[in-house]
């Protein structure tokens, strides 16, 4: 079976500090990978998605970046955090290919920028 | 472009009563629809999806959803609500552009089941 991991679970960082959130998937190959941000416990905003190693698509302009150094690893980064970067960050994966596939979500990282 | 609307921010229902969480959609082409549930400080859990076929889709934890093409709706239902069903529910529609971007989510509906 497939499992998705995210760490850390919670993070408190000062404004201007760097950020690195990691997501890994087990039990599948060549998944599509996604980073979302959820603000105020409600709507989901898609930040990045990836269909393969080194292939990143950005949905919104921001001071965040994403990388996929390995097939099942997806990293969200920032060089300098802003207060507005606070939120709940969710990683998700789905099967690749032409089928109609649901996404499966990780447990999330709660980021507070102070 | 596709979109999905959840017209109710909050739904309250008594335990044991049937529940309905509403969702309407707008897509060009065939609609592919999904429901997810989120418990506090947790990731989203997949409940069910509609691709084609029977308009009544059964999913996890006793939930089902009814696809209605004429009303462009995909309401989530459960015959008898449990207190443990209290959570945030999201409807989503697939992006038919063929890109991996895939899902557009609604704004969520907070379901509270009262004991």
């Amino acid at each position: 079976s497939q499992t998705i991991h995210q760490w850390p679970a919670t993070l408190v960082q000062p404004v201007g500090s760097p950020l690195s959130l990691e997501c890994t998937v087990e039990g599948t190959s060549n998944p599509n990978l996604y980073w979302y941000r959820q603000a105020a416990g409600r709507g989901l905003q898609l930040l990045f998605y990836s269909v393969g190693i080194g292939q990143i698509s950005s949905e919104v302009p921001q001071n965040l970046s994403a990388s996929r150094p390995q097939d099942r690893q997806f990293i969200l980064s920032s060089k300098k955090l802003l207060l507005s970067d606070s939120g709940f960050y969710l990683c998700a994966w789905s099967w690749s290919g032409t089928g109609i596939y649901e996404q499966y979500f990780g447990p999330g990282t709660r980021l507070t920028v102070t | 472009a596709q979109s999905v609307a959840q017209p109710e921010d909050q739904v309250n229902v008594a335990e044991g009563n049937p529940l309905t969480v509403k969702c309407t959609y707008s897509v060009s082409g065939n609609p592919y629809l999904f429901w997810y549930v989120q418990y506090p400080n947790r990731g989203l859990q997949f409940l069910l999806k509609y691709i084609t076929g029977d308009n009544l889709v059964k999913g996890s934890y006793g939930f089902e959803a009814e696809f209605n093409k004429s009303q462009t709706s995909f309401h989530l239902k459960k015959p008898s609500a449990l207190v443990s069903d209290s959570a945030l529910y999201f409807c989503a529609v697939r992006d038919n552009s063929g890109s991996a971007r895939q899902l557009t989510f609604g704004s969520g509906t907070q379901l509270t089941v009262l004991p």
Side-chain angles (χ1 to χ4, degrees):
Chain A
S1 64
Q2 298 77 34
T3 309
I4 180 168
H5 303 280
Q6 284 188 247
W7 64 90
T10 61
L11 191 60
V12 179
Q13 292 282 97
V15 168
S17 64
L19 173 72
S20 181
L21 303 182
E22 189 163 342
C23 170
T24 59
V25 181
E26 296 177 354
T28 184
S29 297
N30 194 32
N32 293 332
L33 296 172
Y34 307 84
W35 277 113
Y36 290 88
R37 178 168 57 205
Q38 185 177 30
R42 279 290 174 140
L44 293 165
Q45 180 185 36
L46 179 63
L47 302 175
F48 301 95
Y49 68 93
S50 171
V51 299
I53 296 174
Q55 301 179 63
I56 308 295
S57 297
S58 175
E59 286 292 300
V60 293
Q62 56 208 322
N63 72 321
L64 299 171
S65 62
S67 62
R68 185 171 176 173
Q70 301 181 45
D71 182 44
R72 290 169 288 178
Q73 183 185 31
F74 205 23
I75 297 172
L76 184 69
S77 303
S78 174
K79 293 182 179 178
K80 290 185 178 182
L81 283 168
L82 307 173
L83 285 174
S84 57
D85 291 324
S86 293
F88 192 48
Y89 287 82
L90 292 161
C91 181
W93 75 273
S94 73
W95 300 105
S96 58
T98 57
I100 311 300
Y101 303 118
E102 59 272 21
Q103 295 177 12
Y104 295 95
F105 285 77
T109 295
R110 174 75 60 188
L111 172 66
T112 303
V113 182
T114 60
Chain B
Q2 70 289 334
S3 65
V4 61
Q6 294 181 241
E8 300 161 317
D9 283 344
Q10 175 80 41
V11 171
N12 296 327
V13 63
E15 187 175 27
N17 283 2
L19 70 86
T20 299
V21 182
K22 296 180 180 178
C23 172
T24 59
Y25 65 89
S26 175
V27 294
S28 57
N30 294 324
Y32 305 119
L33 299 155
F34 304 79
W35 274 103
Y36 285 82
V37 60
Q38 184 181 32
Y39 295 97
N41 295 309
R42 304 288 295 276
L44 278 67
Q45 296 179 33
F46 170 71
L47 285 177
L48 51 81
K49 67 181 177 183
Y50 171 82
I51 304 301
T52 187
D54 193 348
N55 290 342
L56 187 64
V57 179
K58 294 188 182 296
S60 306
Y61 312 120
F63 283 94
E64 57 190 25
E66 186 170 11
F67 172 68
N68 188 316
K69 188 173 183 178
S70 63
Q71 297 185 6
T72 61
S73 67
F74 189 55
H75 300 333
L76 182 70
K77 300 182 179 184
K78 188 173 183 180
S80 179
L82 301 173
V83 173
S84 58
D85 293 329
S86 298
L88 186 57
Y89 290 81
F90 289 96
C91 183
V93 62
R94 186 188 189 274
D95 181 340
N96 286 330
S97 70
S99 79
R101 185 188 184 281
Q102 291 194 345
L103 299 183
T104 298
F105 287 86
S107 56
T109 298
Q110 181 66 48
L111 172 69
T112 300
V113 181
L114 305 168

